[in-house]
Amino acid sequence: MSPILAESPRWVRIGLVPALQLALALVISSLVVLIIGEDPVQAFAIMIRGATNLEFGGFHSTLYYTTNFIFTGLAVALAFHAGLFNIGGEGQAYVAGLGIAIVCLLFDSTLSVWLMAPLVILASAAFGAIWGVIPGYLQAKRGSHIVVTTIMFNFIAMALMSYALVVHISPLGGNSTDSRYWNSDAVFPKWNEMMPDAPFSLLNPTLILALVCCWLVWLLVWRTRLGYAIRTVGSNPHAATYAGINASRTIIITMAISGALAGMMAVNEVYGAQGRLILNFTSGFGFMGIAVALMGRNHPFGVVLASLLFGALYQGGTELQFEISSINPQMVLVIQGLVVFFTGALDRLVRGPVEGAFLRYQLAKAKKAEAADAAVAGGN
Amino acid sequence: MTAPAIELKAINKRFGPVWANRDIDLKVMPGTVHGIVGENGAGKSTLMSILYGFYTADTGEILVNGQNLDIRNSQQAIQAGIGMVHQHFMLVEPFTVLENVMLGMEGQAVLANARGKARKALQDIASRYGLEVDPDAIVGELPVGLQQRVEILKALYRGAKILILDEPTSVLTPQETGQLFEILESLRSQGVTVLLITHKLKEIMAITNHVSIMRAGTMVAHRETAHTSPEELAELMVGRKVLLRVDKQPAQPGEQRMEIKNLDYSDDRGVRRLKDINFNLRSGEILGVAGVSGNGQSELLKMLSGALAPNQGVMVLDTRAGHSELSAGSWRDAAEIRDLGIAHVPENRLRQALVKAFSAAENAILGYHDKPEYGETFLEPEKVVNATEVMMEAYDVRPRLPGLKTANFSGGNQQKLVLAREMLKEPDILLIGQPTRGVDIGAIEFIHRNMIAARDKGAAVLLVSVELDEILSLSDRIIVMNDGAITGEVMASETNEAELGLLMTSTAGEVPTAGNGPTGGAKAPQSEQQEEAVA
């Protein structure tokens, strides 16, 4: 049996289905808010306002979070195309922060922002790439599972960073875990420093870099021979061997690029927003990249949309904690978790029935047309 | 008139939008062998799965011996006296025959008593139906034909009076097929009803009393075997007249294109899969490689196409790229071998030749994606699509939608796309494995014609197939493989199925060795001292 299944239309796949999933997450979240005795309508109004208002920088902050999500989401999405589950975005970004710190500590008093920015971007990409390529190599040449190794590398990154910060980077000594601030002439200006009228936010030019990366990833995956090789290795390794594509090489290169993408998240945090290296600056963005990639269907454009959504959830959630005291950070996590749950983990729950309904509808239409044709042709 | 052993009334089964079975009626009389033929995807397997309780029909009735039954799982089917032998055996290989037969019917926690009872019952059944197997043999070490016998024993042990066999001969040599048919004869004479699912018309003609023909989910006809012919059955299966024979002129072999010397290969676990392979291949001929599946043909194809490297041996090539010699230390990968003018249509198209998730256009450049004709720096979609349209036109791939996902094409059309991709390049050497596996009869005709045409244009064609009919009708020269070695070489015009069948089970070097079954059992004697058997 080979059932002939056409795909449902694109607007159903990437429009209607995610919208329904979000709605479902919203309904369950409302129940949760109700249970703790608050008004869900009010809560969501606060969240939406918090994430979109222009006068207090809510929307700017949303975009700032979006930038992080784009990088880590792209990293996971690209690796997915090669059939690799890179859950080491957290560690790759973290180690990239170390690379930025080294560059900044060495040159921030001598170089201008125009020279520093490219250097910092390169350093972050290179450090992230190294942290991605080692698990990639182990997977390709030694068969060590990428999921296991990338998790381990997250831990190694944590330990390495704690050591580096406390022993070598922190100017204060003791158990201080921050670096000094970089020279403000050498770092990215924030949006409100460039636009005098804008409210304060951590938004900085890294967003542009993120969008450029989206375009580059699209180009790589769908317009280059390397991208073709990556997708072949990811969907059918046997076909890759048959075609003469070197799967090991492709896996290693993919993990290098994936690590570099995750690494550039550190530009937004360490070079753009914080202006110094602090402990745990990645704070889970690397892991959330998995949800972003899932929801964005591993497509750069989808990653941007999903990043916007998660950025808004982060920002809106932060506002919510301020406004309603009974809603604590854990509560916000629950809401975010429900969104991840319905859009990512339980994707099939909504997708299956909705797409199935469309297929049946199309088939019924095709049958009707066929019957009409047959009537006209007189039964062939 | 006795009640039919099985009667199906108006069975309907849908998978989503697809009708797998539509208004199926079937009557199988007790004590007969009833064949069910149809192309891949005609719904035979679905129908049998409904009968055996794997699927539940959406609507319709199942009557067993005149009794209306609601079969919801295979346990109920077994209780109703229905047994099934699957195409891929459901055996625990490290267990003995006896243990496999008992499996699921142990009865109590301590096995000692049950084993004794089972042994006796097994011996009764074996002697009654002529199904002799050593109950203490390890199943994994038995040849395929005997493993199948264990499956049949399993079903009979569970009290089956109605036996469903799904494509039982696809893994057997002609001799083993003969033995299977003897068993079926004896089962029939003892009153067992057999339902035989197959796509081989010759078998239908040889063994069945009645035959039912399915097409596209419906039952199109029932015939008494004595009153029908293969031609009529083929026509009913496809829905139009089909040419079953291949028309071809005698080959005119030209210069030598490929020579293989002393090729040897052991897999990761150290099992020697290819043993001292030697042959040559000329332009303008089709060299058939016959053998029971799993005797080294797959490894040979992979090696010649660059997907695997041998441990020893040399491949000498004379193609458009000039003279080249590849030895074990300097083997090339698939892309480099392709550049030497060799095209490869692999045995398993969905596993090797295609990426299901890709569009037809993306698959149309697989392996050739580095060529500048598909774009300079970047891949240019228009160029790829244009090239795909040319392929689809030339090989009649339907529907003609380069953007359609490959998984949505039928097996025959997928295969045509692969053939178009490989053969339109007019390769000097064409390696082709199981070209018509899972392909509709209509497409088989087309594929065979194109292979002959390629030969006549001067290509050197190496054909690997487990279908002896295909080997015999297409090849000019035939080499036979067993247990990783070449056991004989014959001219196609001077041989027949019986001779090939013997070669398929004999050992290289013409040393008749006792107990060396066609699977090359676990303890097959190592053929260190064997000299080449090829003339």
Side-chain angles (χ1 to χ4, degrees):
Chain A
M1 267 316 305
S2 50
I4 294 168
L5 298 172
E7 271 181 313
S8 52
R10 187 177 281 241
W11 68 269
V12 172
R13 274 183 291 137
I14 64 177
L16 183 64
V17 170
L20 284 174
Q21 291 170 331
L22 267 183
L24 211 55
L26 214 64
V27 170
I28 309 285
S29 307
S30 303
L31 289 178
V32 175
V33 175
L34 266 179
I35 289 170
I36 60 164
E38 294 295 338
D39 176 11
V41 177
Q42 190 207 355
F44 288 120
I46 292 170
M47 276 187 86
I48 293 170
R49 205 164 353 102
T52 56
N53 75 78
L54 290 174
E55 62 268 36
F56 305 111
F59 185 61
H60 303 81
S61 295
T62 295
L63 288 182
Y64 151 71
Y65 289 125
T66 300
T67 310
N68 282 347
F69 287 127
I70 289 178
F71 283 122
T72 56
L74 283 179
V76 176
L78 180 71
F80 257 133
H81 281 291
L84 301 166
F85 197 14
N86 176 14
I87 45 181
E90 191 83 5
Q92 289 145 16
Y94 205 35
V95 165
L98 188 62
I100 295 176
I102 293 171
V103 170
C104 286
L105 287 170
L106 289 177
F107 303 118
D108 72 339
S109 52
T110 49
L111 297 180
S112 75
V113 66
W114 297 103
L115 288 171
M116 276 300 280
L119 210 57
V120 157
I121 292 169
L122 272 179
S124 68
F127 272 67
I130 290 170
W131 220 246
V133 89
I134 301 171
Y137 175 86
L138 292 173
Q139 169 79 67
K141 302 284 186 189
R142 292 272 169 268
S144 319
H145 202 284
I146 198 98
V147 168
V148 177
T149 46
T150 48
I151 291 176
M152 309 263 259
F153 268 68
N154 287 339
F155 287 114
I156 300 173
M158 299 283 169
L160 178 71
M161 191 67 118
S162 303
Y163 164 77
L165 270 170
V166 172
V167 177
H168 295 288
I169 297 178
S170 171
L172 301 171
N175 276 330
S176 169
T177 54
D178 304 336
S179 75
R180 67 169 169 83
Y181 281 97
W182 321 135
N183 180 356
S184 60
D185 293 334
V187 300
F188 270 156
K190 296 190 182 62
W191 181 250
N192 54 298
E193 290 165 9
M194 294 187 289
M195 298 280 148
D197 297 339
F200 174 80
S201 72
L202 295 174
L203 181 62
N204 65 74
T206 317
L207 175 62
I208 298 163
L209 176 66
L211 294 175
V212 170
C213 283
C214 280
W215 180 70
L216 287 176
V217 167
W218 177 83
L219 205 63
L220 168 69
V221 173
W222 281 283
R223 286 293 180 274
T224 66
R225 291 173 162 95
L226 175 61
Y228 184 88
I230 289 174
R231 286 184 294 134
T232 306
V233 169
S235 341
N236 186 346
H238 300 287
T241 312
Y242 162 79
I245 293 167
N246 185 333
S248 312
R249 205 177 125 242
T250 309
I251 286 173
I252 293 170
I253 294 174
T254 308
M255 278 307 290
I257 302 173
S258 176
L261 285 166
M264 282 187 274
M265 188 210 116
V267 177
N268 192 38
E269 286 292 332
V270 178
Y271 186 64
Q274 313 291 347
R276 61 180 172 151
L277 182 65
I278 56 176
L279 197 69
N280 289 335
F281 72 86
T282 48
S283 61
F285 285 106
F287 293 119
M288 287 296 281
I290 298 166
V292 170
L294 259 171
M295 191 175 178
R297 315 296 293 163
N298 300 321
H299 192 286
F301 184 64
V303 165
V304 172
L305 291 183
S307 298
L308 262 174
L309 174 74
F310 281 101
L313 274 172
Y314 254 58
Q315 170 58 17
T318 317
E319 291 291 317
L320 191 59
Q321 294 166 42
F322 283 124
E323 299 275 331
I324 304 180
S325 55
S326 61
I327 294 186
N328 54 23
Q330 281 70 33
M331 211 46 231
V332 175
L333 275 180
V334 167
I335 296 175
Q336 289 166 353
L338 281 167
V339 173
V340 174
F341 191 63
F342 281 102
T343 56
L346 268 187
D347 185 49
R348 293 241 135 236
L349 181 76
V350 174
R351 190 170 295 278
V354 172
E355 293 193 347
F358 260 88
L359 289 176
R360 278 192 292 278
Y361 165 73
Q362 282 183 321
L363 197 83
K365 219 167 63 174
K367 277 233 173 88
K368 216 179 269 176
E370 201 177 279
D373 280 356
V376 171
N380 197 19
Chain B
M1 196 175 145
T2 52
I6 289 174
E7 186 169 8
L8 302 178
K9 285 185 183 169
I11 295 282
N12 278 297
K13 178 71 187 172
R14 278 172 48 154
F15 292 107
V18 181
W19 288 92
N21 284 158
R22 197 163 195 172
D23 289 328
I24 302 282
D25 291 318
L26 178 69
K27 258 187 211 172
V28 180
M29 298 313 287
T32 63
V33 177
H34 193 113
I36 295 183
V37 289
E39 299 193 293
N40 290 283
K44 300 170 296 202
S45 298
T46 307
L47 189 64
M48 290 308 116
S49 299
I50 289 171
L51 187 54
Y52 196 58
F54 279 144
Y55 299 137
T56 314
D58 298 337
T59 59
E61 287 177 56
I62 302 173
L63 284 81
V64 178
N65 299 320
Q67 269 190 315
N68 203 331
L69 288 184
D70 183 26
I71 300 176
R72 300 213 153 258
N73 55 48
S74 50
Q75 283 301 321
Q76 291 173 346
I78 291 167
Q79 272 162 24
I82 301 172
M84 183 148 177
V85 176
H86 298 271
Q87 187 175 359
H88 304 285
F89 303 148
M90 312 272 173
L91 294 168
V92 185
E93 295 202 346
F95 279 16
T96 64
V97 172
L98 186 65
E99 285 166 333
N100 267 287
V101 169
M102 286 168 63
L103 196 66
M105 308 264 302
E106 302 88 350
Q108 60 206 85
V110 181
L111 287 181
N113 293 337
R115 192 173 273 146
K117 268 187 245 168
R119 184 184 295 274
K120 196 172 169 306
L122 188 62
Q123 272 157 0
D124 286 350
I125 296 170
S127 58
R128 175 137 59 103
Y129 298 108
L131 280 162
E132 308 295 347
V133 189
D134 173 12
D136 298 314
I138 302 289
V139 163
E141 292 174 3
L142 292 175
V144 183
L146 286 182
Q147 291 189 4
Q148 191 174 53
R149 220 176 262 196
V150 177
E151 281 282 16
I152 296 174
L153 277 171
K154 250 170 77 180
L156 295 174
Y157 181 72
R158 282 157 177 70
K161 283 278 157 200
I162 299 161
L163 204 58
I164 307 171
L165 298 166
D166 188 3
E167 298 281 359
T169 59
S170 59
V171 288
L172 302 183
T173 62
Q175 279 77 10
E176 285 174 316
T177 302
Q179 286 164 7
L180 172 70
F181 284 0
E182 280 170 29
I183 293 170
L184 295 187
E185 292 279 5
S186 124
L187 288 172
R188 171 163 58 191
S189 66
Q190 300 274 336
V192 176
T193 310
V194 178
L195 262 167
L196 180 71
I197 306 168
T198 181
H199 67 275
K200 294 181 187 168
L201 300 177
K202 216 163 50 176
E203 293 169 4
I204 292 291
M205 300 310 292
I207 184 84
T208 63
N209 303 95
H210 302 274
V211 53
S212 299
I213 302 100
M214 291 188 74
R215 183 169 77 226
T218 59
M219 197 58 96
V220 289
H222 303 283
R223 290 282 183 275
E224 239 176 273
T225 311
H227 297 145
T228 187
S229 64
E231 285 75 19
E232 187 197 18
L233 291 178
E235 196 180 331
L236 285 167
M237 277 164 68
V238 183
R240 64 178 172 82
K241 280 221 181 301
V242 182
L243 199 63
L244 287 178
R245 217 169 303 282
V246 184
D247 275 334
K248 64 166 186 178
Q249 303 297 314
Q252 285 163 340
E255 69 276 25
Q256 177 169 296
R257 286 277 165 80
M258 174 189 267
E259 189 181 4
I260 299 298
K261 291 190 235 171
N262 309 103
L263 205 64
D264 223 287
Y265 170 70
S266 302
D267 67 13
D268 295 341
R269 288 181 297 170
V271 180
R272 202 162 159 222
R273 295 288 176 192
L274 289 178
K275 299 170 182 169
D276 195 23
I277 301 287
N278 293 277
F279 66 86
N280 64 20
L281 183 59
R282 300 178 166 280
S283 95
E285 72 166 349
I286 297 182
L287 175 64
V289 179
V292 177
S293 174
N295 277 290
Q297 304 97 310
S298 303
E299 286 81 2
L300 180 65
L301 263 188
K302 282 190 176 169
M303 210 140 288
L304 303 186
S305 64
L308 272 181
N311 302 104
Q312 260 179 59
V314 179
M315 171 156 77
V316 184
L317 295 167
D318 287 286
T319 60
R320 67 189 66 172
H323 179 84
S324 36
E325 255 187 70
L326 279 58
S327 61
S330 65
W331 213 253
R332 314 275 177 92
D333 75 18
E336 292 162 326
I337 284 196
R338 204 168 271 122
D339 285 340
L340 296 175
I342 300 182
H344 176 206
V345 179
E347 292 182 294
N348 192 333
R349 88 190 140 252
L350 280 182
R351 202 170 141 93
Q352 288 174 270
L354 294 168
V355 180
K356 265 196 286 186
F358 278 9
S359 69
E362 285 174 309
N363 271 316
I365 61 169
L366 184 71
Y368 301 91
H369 55 277
D370 282 333
K371 301 280 171 289
E373 65 213 68
Y374 301 123
E376 284 170 26
T377 324
F378 294 103
L379 285 170
E380 293 169 34
E382 323 80 85
K383 290 185 178 171
V384 176
V385 167
N386 289 343
T388 311
E389 277 166 351
V390 172
M391 289 181 203
M392 290 182 140
E393 198 61 42
Y395 273 70
D396 191 28
V397 180
R398 292 179 205 195
R400 297 242 158 83
L401 295 173
L404 188 66
K405 227 196 227 180
T406 308
N408 293 337
F409 287 87
S410 71
N413 282 301
Q414 290 171 352
Q415 182 74 323
K416 282 195 220 165
L417 183 67
V418 175
L419 286 163
R421 179 181 75 203
E422 301 301 324
M423 288 170 73
L424 284 181
K425 307 283 186 302
E426 301 201 337
D428 296 315
I429 300 172
L430 177 64
L431 309 172
I432 185 162
Q434 320 297 351
T436 54
R437 178 182 280 171
V439 170
D440 303 344
I441 292 193
I444 288 178
E445 195 188 340
F446 179 89
I447 290 167
H448 283 176
R449 242 187 300 124
N450 275 286
M451 287 175 62
I452 302 279
R455 177 200 78 169
D456 292 344
K457 274 190 181 167
V461 182
L462 183 88
L463 163 71
V464 172
S465 176
V466 291
E467 305 278 352
L468 268 189
D469 283 346
E470 186 167 44
I471 292 276
L472 278 167
S473 60
L474 283 178
S475 313
D476 304 306
R477 198 152 58 90
I478 299 170
I479 54 180
V480 184
M481 287 184 74
N482 178 30
D483 198 19
I486 292 180
T487 51
E489 175 176 338
V490 288
M491 296 306 288
S493 51
E494 296 161 9
T495 188
N496 53 40
E497 282 205 10
E499 185 188 10
L500 290 180
L502 278 177
L503 287 171
M504 279 158 71
T505 52
S506 65
T507 312
E510 290 148 315
V511 191
T513 322
N516 190 10
T519 52
K523 285 181 182 170
Q526 282 296 339
S527 35
E528 296 297 328
Q529 73 279 56
Q530 284 167 6
E531 296 305 319
E532 47 177 349
V534 185

